[in-house]
Amino acid sequence: MKLIASFQVDHTRITPGIYVSRRDKVPGGWITTFDIRMKKPNVEPAVHPNAMHTIEHIVATYLRSSKFKDHVVYWGPMGCLTGFYFITNTADEIQPKDIEKLIRAAFRHQANYKDEVPGATAVNCGNFRLHDLAMAKWEAAEFLKRKWKFTYPPAKRIKANGRTFFDA
């Protein structure tokens, strides 16, 4: 199988930021997947699953209530727990800096959140006990303090015996 795009990025050089992971043409426009990277992979501790789940609930609710709600397709955690995928649909090309304000506002909202976690009940969530609001607020505040990058570092491609190998 072909190595997918997200594994062709040098994860040893990724730092926190907003990256375009992929853009796909669909009928009526584009689907853009943004990598909202909160942690330096394989260096910093991953976000705890309880905090990640809480950020997912609160930020998803914020994004789907924002003026951009009609463009939000998906907000969800990366399996490595170092960030989130944010998928948008739009007829116009969106670049990471275009959504920087929205993501900063969503994380400020998360960092200052004081209410009950939305959807954190047995009726609304498949694992409603897996939440930690205090840690989610801390993680969001820490992410906001960082200097963000906007361009992926490319993976090195090694060619040998007619095959291409990637370092990430």
Side-chain angles (χ1 to χ4, degrees):
M1 283 192 281
K2 183 179 176 188
L3 195 62
I4 63 173
S6 61
F7 296 142
Q8 294 182 32
V9 176
D10 186 344
H11 284 70
T12 66
R13 296 178 18 200
I14 292 175
T15 59
I18 300 173
Y19 304 94
V20 173
S21 178
R22 61 182 293 155
R23 290 185 36 81
D24 299 294
K25 183 129 178 68
V26 297
W30 292 88
I31 299 290
T32 304
T33 303
F34 293 97
D35 170 340
I36 310 301
R37 191 65 63 151
M38 296 174 65
K39 302 284 187 170
K40 183 164 178 45
N42 304 306
V43 173
E44 297 179 72
V47 179
H48 191 278
N50 295 41
M52 199 77 165
H53 192 200
T54 301
I55 295 168
E56 176 193 11
H57 277 236
I58 293 170
V59 172
T61 301
Y62 181 89
L63 294 171
R64 291 180 182 278
S65 301
S66 75
K67 67 180 182 179
F68 300 101
K69 65 186 175 192
D70 294 336
H71 296 290
V72 176
V73 174
Y74 175 77
W75 169 264
M78 295 176 176
C80 61
L81 302 176
T82 62
F84 288 85
Y85 290 115
F86 178 37
I87 303 174
T88 64
N89 68 355
T90 180
D92 301 318
E93 186 172 334
I94 295 178
Q95 294 300 317
K97 289 193 179 223
D98 297 331
I99 64 157
E100 180 181 6
K101 275 186 173 176
L102 177 61
I103 296 302
R104 284 195 189 279
F107 273 80
R108 269 194 305 276
H109 176 74
Q110 171 65 61
N112 297 310
Y113 198 78
K114 291 180 174 57
D115 297 324
E116 294 293 317
V117 176
T121 68
V123 172
N124 304 118
C125 179
N127 198 355
F128 77 98
R129 291 183 188 94
L130 185 75
H131 285 282
D132 186 336
L133 180 58
M135 189 51 123
K137 290 170 70 164
W138 183 86
E139 289 285 6
E142 289 299 302
F143 182 53
L144 287 167
K145 292 178 189 175
R146 303 191 114 163
K147 183 173 178 169
W148 296 355
K149 299 252 176 142
F150 297 93
T151 305
Y152 271 141
K156 294 175 187 165
R157 288 160 177 80
I158 302 163
K159 296 201 181 261
N161 298 330
R163 295 178 63 192
T164 302
F165 298 89
F166 300 89
D167 69 349

